[in-house]
Amino acid sequence: MANRSKKVVISARIPPRLKAALDLASILEGQPIVKLLEALLEEGLNEIDAPNPFRGGQLDGSKLNFMTVFDAIWTEDEVLFRLRTWAAGPEFSSVKIWRRITSLIQSDYFKGDVDLFGDLNGYTQTWGGVPERYLINLDLIKEEWMLIDEYLSFLDKNTNLSPSYESFKKMLQSESVK
């Protein structure tokens, strides 16, 4: 898995007008374009409102600042971050993915002692709750992550089929025996 603590490179096409504005703003602010872009991205992301996934099961329609939600679920552990994103609710992935992931992490097979959300990076004291407590076996999930990903892809490609994860594993094992 990639080291998520380092900076990543993104590529974006922008109109020449915005590029010229970035160049000029960089000079005006006395900082490199990259630093300016980071600040502008953060500022823009702070302007987005997101549904409150930490409402303790109540669908009250409340909103939180997107970056506050993001900071609550962020972790450098890519698997844990993706699980948190999916489990936060269908607004943060899709209804289909959310249903599939919640059924997986609620299954007895993946039950364990790691609290998926933990203390929400310190926000639990402020909000007082999470959508639902998921106690998972994170080591097992990481061990089977590629297979879980394959299972989700299989379900996407075969919309008329919906085997359980355990059935999917048995199906793959029986195919590999042949």
Side-chain angles (χ1 to χ4, degrees), residues 4 9 25 36 39 52 67-68 71 83 99 109 120 149 176:
R4 292 165 55 93
V9 175
L36 184 62
N52 180 357
M67 285 305 287
T68 302
D71 288 339
L83 285 171
R99 282 188 183 135
Y109 184 73
L120 294 171
D149 205 35
S176 67

Side-chain angles (χ1 to χ4, degrees), residues 30-101:
Q31 56 184 315
I33 289 177
V34 172
K35 282 274 188 208
L36 184 62
L37 278 173
E38 286 176 12
L40 292 171
L41 275 172
E42 183 112 14
E43 188 177 313
L45 290 171
N46 271 309
E47 293 294 317
I48 298 172
D49 286 331
N52 180 357
F54 311 112
R55 54 192 168 258
Q58 300 169 357
L59 298 174
D60 61 4
S62 65
K63 300 272 187 189
L64 288 173
N65 174 277
F66 169 77
M67 285 305 287
T68 302
V69 173
F70 177 80
D71 288 339
I73 64 173
W74 169 249
T75 175
E76 290 182 11
D77 183 320
E78 184 176 353
V79 170
L80 185 55
F81 176 67
R82 285 183 63 190
L83 285 171
R84 285 178 175 179
T85 302
W86 291 330
E91 305 90 349
F92 296 91
S93 55
S94 73
V95 172
K96 186 166 50 173
I97 294 282
W98 174 70
R99 282 188 183 135
R100 290 174 180 165
I101 290 299

Side-chain angles (χ1 to χ4, degrees), residues 107-139:
S107 73
D108 288 339
Y109 184 73
F110 287 118
K111 284 213 184 314
D113 57 358
V114 174
D115 186 338
L116 176 62
F117 287 108
D119 74 343
L120 294 171
N121 296 327
Y123 285 98
T124 334
Q125 291 294 331
T126 307
W127 296 328
V130 294
E132 189 170 333
R133 288 270 176 220
Y134 297 110
L135 295 175
I136 58 171
N137 182 336
L138 187 58
D139 291 333

